[in-house]
Amino acid sequence: MEKPGYLRWAASVLTGLWVTTGVAVPIGFALLTAIKAARGGMLGPELLGRPTVVLALLGSYVLAAMVGGWAAAWITLDNRRGLVAILSASHVATWLIALLSGSVPFPGWLILLLAGGAILGTVLGVDIRARQVASRSTLPPPE
């Protein structure tokens, strides 16, 4: 099978990152607005001590990364494992840069959890898209 060109790979990775961010922002806003309303208008760092809040944030980011991985797989799915590896590494690198630059007000453990959630979401999203393609094709599913 022909290897995808560099432009298609770059477009796929950028699409995955862009869509993940585009989905994560409204989900995060809605989630934090709901938490704020439930707490009488107060948000604070003590909320990160509550496992339910952390799991809700993490779950919403996994969902956003899943949509991003699915969108990236629309552009190229010739090498599914390669796409997952490159997109996951891009997510992790983005979170590590944010952590090292101090531009995100989250503690390091949460940033690392979000990076791991991005990997999980990416794998799930690309897999969902690959299954969609395989169900509509007479060709064997891509690796």
Side-chain angles (χ1 to χ4, degrees):
M1 185 171 274
E2 181 183 323
K3 296 285 184 187
Y6 290 114
L7 289 178
R8 203 162 80 188
W9 274 96
S12 182
V13 171
L14 290 175
T15 298
L17 293 172
W18 179 66
V19 170
T20 299
T21 302
V23 172
V25 169
I27 290 174
F29 179 77
L31 182 62
L32 291 174
T33 301
I35 292 170
K36 185 176 178 180
R39 295 197 24 101
M42 301 296 288
L43 286 177
E46 72 279 355
L47 289 175
L48 294 178
R50 294 184 163 187
T52 54
V53 172
V54 173
L55 288 175
L57 289 171
L58 186 59
S60 64
Y61 194 68
V62 168
L63 176 64
M66 188 170 64
V67 174
W70 180 80
W74 266 90
I75 295 175
T76 184
L77 197 54
D78 292 343
N79 180 356
R80 186 169 79 195
R81 290 183 187 122
L83 176 62
V84 167
I86 291 172
L87 190 55
S88 295
S90 299
H91 278 298
V92 171
T94 301
W95 279 112
L96 289 178
I97 289 169
L99 174 65
L100 295 175
S101 69
S103 62
V104 180
F106 298 140
W109 62 267
L110 181 58
I111 291 175
L112 294 175
L113 277 177
L114 290 171
I119 293 170
L120 176 62
T122 297
V123 169
L124 293 172
V126 171
D127 188 59
I128 287 169
R129 180 64 188 138
R131 289 176 190 269
Q132 287 174 335
V133 168
S135 71
R136 295 182 184 133
S137 176
T138 59
L139 299 174
E143 292 184 22

